[in-house]
Amino acid sequence: MQKLLLTIDKISTFAGQFFSWLIVALTFMITWEVFSRYVLDNPHAWAFDVMSMMYGSLFMMAGAYTLSKNGHVRGDVLYGFFPPRLQAGLDLALYILFFVPGVFALAYAGYGYAADSWAINEHSNITANGPPVYPFKTIIPIAGAILFLQGLVEIVRCIICLQSGQWPSRGQDVEEVDVEKLKEMVNVKDEDIAKLDTLVTAKGVAK
Amino acid sequence: MKKEIWFGLSIMAAVVLAAILLLPPFAEMTNGHLGLFMLALVVVAIMLGFPTAFTLMGMGMVFAYIAYRSQNPSLAVDQTLDLMVQRAYSVMSNDVLISIPLFVFMGYLIERANLIEKLFKSMHLATARVPGSLAVATIITCAIFATATGIVGAVVTLMGLLALPAMLRAGYSVQLSAGAITAGGCLGILIPPSVMLIVYGATAGVSVVKLYAGAFFPGIMLATLYVVYVVIVAKWKPHLAPPMSAEDRRVPLPAFAQVVSTTVSDKVLPGLVGALKGKRNASVPMRELLNHMVIALLPLVSVALIMGAIFLKVTAPLPVEEVSGVVAMGGSLENSSEAESAGGLAEPEDEGGLKPPPAEEAPVAMGQAAEAPPAAEPVPAPAPVAAVPAAPAEPVVAQERLPAPASFWVALASAAVALAIFYAYFSFARLEIFKMLLGSFFPLALMILAVLGSIVFGLATPTEAAAMGSMGGLLLAAAYRRLNMAVLRESVYLTAKTSAMVCWLFVGSSIFSAAFALLGGQELINQWVLGMNLTPVEFMILAQVVIFLLGWPLEWTEIIVIFMPIFIPLLPHFGIDPLFFGLLVALNLQTAFLSPPVAMAAFYLKGVSPPQVTLNQIFAGMLPFMAIQVFAIFLLYQFPAIGLWLPETLYK
């Protein structure tokens, strides 16, 4: 069981990280397109469609990855102050109430949506002779399914937390504000910060 | 701990109570009331701490189903599913949101180029004479860095590591230091290119280009107000921000500069010229002198090129005269500048490894020197002599030929005067500061201005500009030798997570707001607000107060994607421009970052400050800056031209 959960975690992380490299491709593609249009005078009609497909696949596929790293924005006015058991209980209830039906519906609806698109061999109509859209629409059920699986993992995490009283650890990942890394980047050490304390207290006394 | 829980619980209770009091009893409830109930419910659900995107999605689905079922029970399930998938697809193919990952990517790359330390140090030295210079430098550094990166947490943490120790050591009060760092760090979400404005643009259907043009001056205004406040405090209560000692202000000079400044002249231009021409000190290598000459002349060259370009543009309709005019005008100026920029090209080769700044500067110089023959012999000796007097002489030459507008000559003259003053005070110590700025401030400022300028002047769409910005970020990181696989991978993954966070929130909120509209909650709110017979001013104040209050428990993303769709349809009734409203909201949401007890900025700062600095001290330090923000909202409201002038001049 535990192993299965970790595997799902890994799958969604891998899928998210794999698709996240699209941002580099997107950067280069648009830069090239701008160069091609203004300097070579050779704009491509498909560029716009491809751009939005890259962006759409990027964020849809990263949804499960973000969830597995607890990266979706939460209102943590209160949440942050709750004890872990209460957090887990609330999360569990809301996963079952909102997440499971919502994401399942999205994935299911996305399946039908993509199937229709495949059936009519749909092409983009933004420009004449646009690129095919059906692979892009297929992203919705795939991303939905991975997200759904990841949600199940999160539910199990909540249950584990309810039993043991503390959150099971998550896979290591790069963080937006990694204080240790930032400290290293600007060459500040913990002792330096601790030393400042004397300044703060000295000032407090002097006042 | 307890306090916060009670605070949150009381807000929740207030929302539920208000919902119960305002809504009719269950039997008389219409779908519209159900919509309002859903809105109250979602605020409570968000505060419970579940990921907002999925709260919105789940709730939107349930209520959309209810709405459809009341119309036609047999179709309700299919309709709900269609609605969900179509909403999701519309977010996936949204041509406004597409710039979010690109700007985020640019931000992470710039953050990792590690410019901030240099930036802070050089800003600090450059502002040394201003009262409260450290705090002023902090705010300016924050403003620039936060604008380029847009990551509040990282900027506040980094400045907490760099600026807070510096300020405490200099004897600044904890409150003032904390306030300057937190307030400055949040500027990035207002000053374009900011993600918040994209999110607002996508939600409200306002052009992001106009929003960027509009938010530029309010952002600068807010930063200026902060600086003014700090300067006043430092003047008024010097014990809170003591001036720097002469010792701290001293800039260490390189060996050659010491020699030249003692033997020839303390000022850069006469000093360098003297050293080059006559009594050449054996100890000073010619190459170094020339390199510094090039750097020293960069301001002159850039002013000359900018004014030349404007001159070309202004006098464009008269092609024949234009050519002669330019030649006459260029005259002595162009000669010297060509030589200098050619030197600029050669420069990075010998010291690129030691100093990234010239390497970064090189592309600029290259661009400027595009027409300069690469083989031009450096003849710097006559340059300084010819350059300054040349400026006043030009009008005489050119006036006979071309009807350039008087304002151009006024601008040219004032630029010349400014340059003359600049060079009169340009000592070797200042040259060192200038070199530091070249390595930190100018590349960033240039990049921001290039990205913004190309968007605002319509040269590129925001998406294209964002992609070019990311490319610039890559180049910048490479120029500072920070670009490696690990950094790139981190930036890419972080970009994916941040974009997924924002865009999934959009998926959720668009399903939610569709359900809200289906239930008719919007009409009910419209009727209710219009029934209050508010004047536009009252409505404006009401809206801003509501947003301000929401800023306490919620984050800006949630406020914009959930509540803006409710406010925006009301705007036409009161004749309020959604663009103007957006600017006010953007200013207003700045306070959301600084209002206790959920002020993100304060927690980031607390994480890296010495243990004796308490959260309360940080909060206390932020309060005056919050007051300034409210004052800024007031100013913008009183003088809408601050925000609207630029978009109106450019797009009408």
Side-chain angles (χ1 to χ4, degrees), chain B residues 324-348:
Chain B
S324 56
V326 171
V327 172
M329 176 205 164
S332 53
L333 264 177
E334 214 74 303
N335 275 345
S336 60
S337 65
E338 276 174 23
E340 298 324 317
S341 359
L345 282 176
E347 185 188 31

Side-chain angles (χ1 to χ4, degrees), chain B residues 488-563:
Chain B
L488 186 62
R489 190 168 46 225
E490 279 176 14
S491 310
V492 165
Y493 293 168
L494 282 173
T495 305
K497 285 200 284 185
T498 308
S499 325
M501 188 262 276
V502 176
C503 296
W504 273 96
L505 192 62
F506 248 95
V507 173
S509 80
S510 64
I511 295 171
F512 178 83
S513 48
F516 188 66
L518 278 174
L519 284 171
Q522 185 62 51
E523 281 152 40
L524 212 64
I525 287 199
N526 285 5
Q527 280 169 16
W528 183 57
V529 172
L530 294 180
M532 287 200 296
N533 272 328
L534 295 171
T535 63
V537 180
E538 284 167 349
F539 169 74
M540 208 65 150
I541 294 173
L542 178 77
Q544 296 302 326
V545 169
V546 169
I547 294 167
F548 179 82
L549 292 179
L550 287 171
W552 271 346
L554 302 180
E555 286 203 34
W556 64 263
T557 34
E558 297 160 343
I559 297 176
I560 291 186
V561 300
I562 302 171
F563 292 95

Side-chain angles (χ1 to χ4, degrees), chain A residues 151-162:
Chain A
L152 296 183
V153 175
E154 298 301 315
I155 287 177
V156 175
R157 278 216 172 93
C158 292
I159 295 173
I160 294 176
C161 178
L162 275 179

Side-chain angles (χ1 to χ4, degrees), chain A residues 151-190:
Chain A
L152 296 183
V153 175
E154 298 301 315
I155 287 177
V156 175
R157 278 216 172 93
C158 292
I159 295 173
I160 294 176
C161 178
L162 275 179
Q163 284 168 347
S164 69
Q166 54 187 337
W167 285 104
S169 65
R170 290 176 184 277
Q172 279 300 307
D173 195 48
V174 49
E175 278 172 40
E176 179 172 284
V177 181
D178 187 337
V179 176
E180 290 311 314
K181 224 172 232 167
L182 292 178
K183 275 181 191 163
E184 199 184 306
M185 197 164 105
V186 294
N187 297 315
V188 175
K189 290 183 195 68
D190 288 334

Side-chain angles (χ1 to χ4, degrees), chain B residues 581-599:
Chain B
F581 190 74
L583 298 181
L584 285 174
V585 170
L587 261 180
N588 196 336
L589 286 179
Q590 291 270 308
T591 58
F593 278 86
L594 294 190
S595 50
V598 275

Side-chain angles (χ1 to χ4, degrees), chain A residues 37-38 74 173 176 181, chain B residues 49 108 459 464 490 497 612:
Chain A
R37 181 177 336 144
Y38 287 108
R74 307 167 169 266
D173 195 48
E176 179 172 284
K181 224 172 232 167
Chain B
Y108 284 121
L459 299 176
E464 288 163 357
E490 279 176 14
K497 285 200 284 185
Q612 295 282 340

